[in-house]
Amino acid sequence: MKIFNKYLIKRSLIISSFIFIIFALLDMVFNIISELESLTDNYTFLSILKYSITSMPHRSIEFLEGASLLGFMIALGISHQEGNLNVLRSNGQSPLKIILISSMGSMILVLSVLTLDEMIFKELHMNSKIEKVLLTDQPKKAQPNSQWIMQNDSFLSYTNIIKDTIFNVRLIRLDLDSKKVRYFKSAQSAKIQNGALVFDEGVLIENISSQEKIGNLEKFSFPLVASIPFSDIDNLRISNIILYRSYLLNSNLQEDILFKAHLDKAYYKKLFYPFSVLAILIFFGSFIFGSLRDSSPGSRIVLAVLGGFLYRISQDLSASIFISYNLPILIGVVIPACILVLISIYSYKKI
């Protein structure tokens, strides 16, 4: 029986990995096509190709759940047609045990990719995104959407933020006594470092007071909420999310509370992602032995893909509802998976 079990694990791992790679490559091709619209003298086709390749591993996380489910169902369908599942059942293995063993292959893929994403892929994605912004005219086009931050005697304007880099930076430093401008700085980009801004080498400085020597370093405590756009929360590492959540733990500001809620949502979704995938695999795996066992493999695959899509929507909707009503985000994220597990237990008892 160990040979059959290893065969189930190996088959689900290979098929899930193959589908995942195909999805990732297709996404990269479509990304290259969409990026061609942004071609400039600096942002050449080679730059587009480099950006698409380096950002592909992190972007492919979007397809990990679907690829794992699809590969798992195909592997089970093939094994069922070959009669391997009947052999295992005739030797005393329960349907749930067979599903858990077969799901190990897909779960190996999920855990491996998630680990690599935390260690390597996210960093590659953010660095490639910064390089893209610097090569394109995107910052200049975004000037009408500039945001302003006031801090003590300074006014800071910027258009967008990626990781620890802000773009189209303009800083005005005032003299609080005379209420006049001391100096003005502008640059294409600047780095946020330990309560300071480091302007790039192309910084332009207009010094109103000629006696004052000014460099590219400027003390400025960038607000946490402003430095992390909502769209970038999903690109943060778990360690960074934990750190940012601790910063906002004791804040009573409404903006901070809302921002922390979205950090909580991203944190719990990342933390329980493997559990969610396993719950989906167990739930749809029951169809192999249940009422749909006589249906065609194609219909089971279509049903599984549709069900996985609906599950993701339900999880996002559940978490958003809990955020809206200031309820524990953890419960909102876990509830859909728990419901699937309970339904699965009932389904396996009927087999």
Side-chain angles (χ1 to χ4, degrees):
M1 290 302 101
K2 290 184 178 180
I3 296 177
F4 281 100
N5 291 338
K6 290 181 180 178
Y7 191 61
L8 287 176
I9 296 172
K10 182 179 179 181
R11 172 173 278 174
S12 63
L13 173 60
I14 292 175
I15 296 178
S16 296
S17 300
F18 177 76
I19 294 174
F20 177 68
I21 292 172
I22 293 298
F23 283 173
L25 291 175
L26 287 175
D27 178 68
M28 185 186 73
V29 171
F30 288 125
N31 188 40
I32 291 174
I33 294 173
S34 65
E35 288 294 326
L36 289 176
E37 298 179 359
S38 303
L39 273 173
T40 63
D41 293 337
N42 294 326
Y43 193 50
T44 62
F45 178 77
L46 290 178
S47 301
I48 291 175
L49 189 62
K50 180 183 177 182
Y51 168 73
S52 300
I53 292 174
T54 53
S55 64
M56 178 191 68
H58 175 65
R59 288 166 55 92
S60 63
I61 296 296
E62 292 292 322
F63 313 107
L64 181 58
E65 183 181 278
S68 302
L69 176 59
L70 190 55
F72 170 76
M73 292 301 294
I74 292 175
L76 274 182
I78 295 174
S79 298
H80 179 64
Q81 289 183 334
E82 293 175 347
N84 296 335
L85 303 187
N86 292 330
V87 173
L88 292 173
R89 290 201 67 184
S90 63
N91 280 271
Q93 287 196 16
S94 65
L96 179 58
K97 185 177 180 180
I98 294 173
I99 294 301
L100 288 175
I101 291 173
S102 183
S103 67
M104 288 176 63
S106 297
M107 291 306 299
I108 289 173
L109 171 66
V110 170
L111 294 174
S112 300
V113 173
L114 289 178
T115 302
L116 289 173
D117 186 51
E118 285 294 316
M119 296 176 61
I120 303 173
F121 296 163
K122 287 181 180 178
E123 188 72 19
L124 278 175
H125 174 71
M126 297 305 291
N127 290 336
S128 63
K129 197 172 179 182
I130 291 173
E131 185 177 353
K132 173 193 170 183
V133 173
L134 291 173
L135 289 174
T136 61
D137 293 329
Q138 182 176 335
K140 296 177 181 178
K141 295 177 182 177
Q143 287 288 353
N145 298 321
S146 295
Q147 302 181 56
W148 285 90
I149 298 176
M150 182 180 69
Q151 187 175 107
N152 299 326
D153 60 344
S154 302
F155 290 88
L156 180 73
S157 168
Y158 65 96
T159 54
N160 51 346
I161 303 175
I162 300 176
K163 198 178 176 181
D164 59 350
T165 306
I166 59 176
F167 298 93
N168 291 317
V169 196
R170 290 179 293 174
L171 184 135
I172 301 173
R173 183 76 72 179
L174 302 177
D175 187 328
L176 294 180
D177 295 329
S178 62
K179 303 297 182 182
K180 294 181 179 180
V181 177
R182 288 168 52 195
Y183 57 84
F184 171 83
K185 288 184 180 180
S186 64
Q188 185 180 5
S189 65
K191 291 281 188 179
I192 304 172
Q193 295 181 358
N194 301 323
L197 294 176
V198 182
F199 287 75
D200 62 29
E201 296 300 326
V203 59
L204 299 176
I205 302 174
E206 186 175 341
N207 193 354
I208 306 301
S209 174
S210 58
Q211 299 178 352
E212 189 173 5
K213 185 177 180 180
I214 303 171
N216 64 342
L217 180 66
E218 193 73 36
K219 290 185 178 180
F220 195 93
S221 299
F222 213 84
L224 175 63
V225 176
S227 64
I228 309 172
F230 279 94
S231 59
D232 283 342
I233 289 179
D234 290 333
N235 296 324
L236 295 174
R237 293 178 176 177
I238 292 180
S239 58
N240 291 335
I241 294 178
I242 294 174
L243 180 63
Y244 297 148
R245 289 172 72 235
S246 66
Y247 289 160
L248 301 173
L249 192 61
N250 298 319
S251 176
N252 295 320
L253 295 177
Q254 189 61 36
E255 294 82 0
D256 290 345
I257 293 174
L258 178 61
F259 187 71
K260 183 179 178 298
H262 284 276
L263 285 175
D264 289 342
K265 176 183 175 182
Y267 173 71
Y268 291 125
K269 283 183 67 176
K270 292 175 186 292
L271 196 63
F272 288 95
Y273 189 90
F275 174 71
S276 296
V277 175
L278 183 59
I280 295 175
L281 299 184
I282 294 174
F283 176 76
F284 287 103
S286 66
F287 293 166
I288 297 294
F289 304 99
S291 59
L292 295 179
R293 62 180 179 271
D294 296 326
S295 61
S296 65
S299 62
R300 289 197 295 265
I301 291 171
V302 171
L303 182 62
V305 172
L306 179 61
F309 175 73
L310 293 176
Y311 171 82
R312 171 172 288 194
I313 293 177
S314 66
Q315 188 182 51
D316 286 335
L317 180 61
S318 174
S320 299
I321 290 174
F322 274 68
I323 289 176
S324 301
Y325 289 95
N326 294 322
L327 299 174
I329 311 301
L330 172 60
I331 298 177
V333 172
V334 176
I335 273 183
C338 292
I339 293 175
L340 279 188
V341 171
L342 293 176
I343 297 175
S344 300
I345 293 173
Y346 176 76
S347 300
Y348 282 105
K349 284 182 177 181
K350 293 181 62 179
I351 297 176

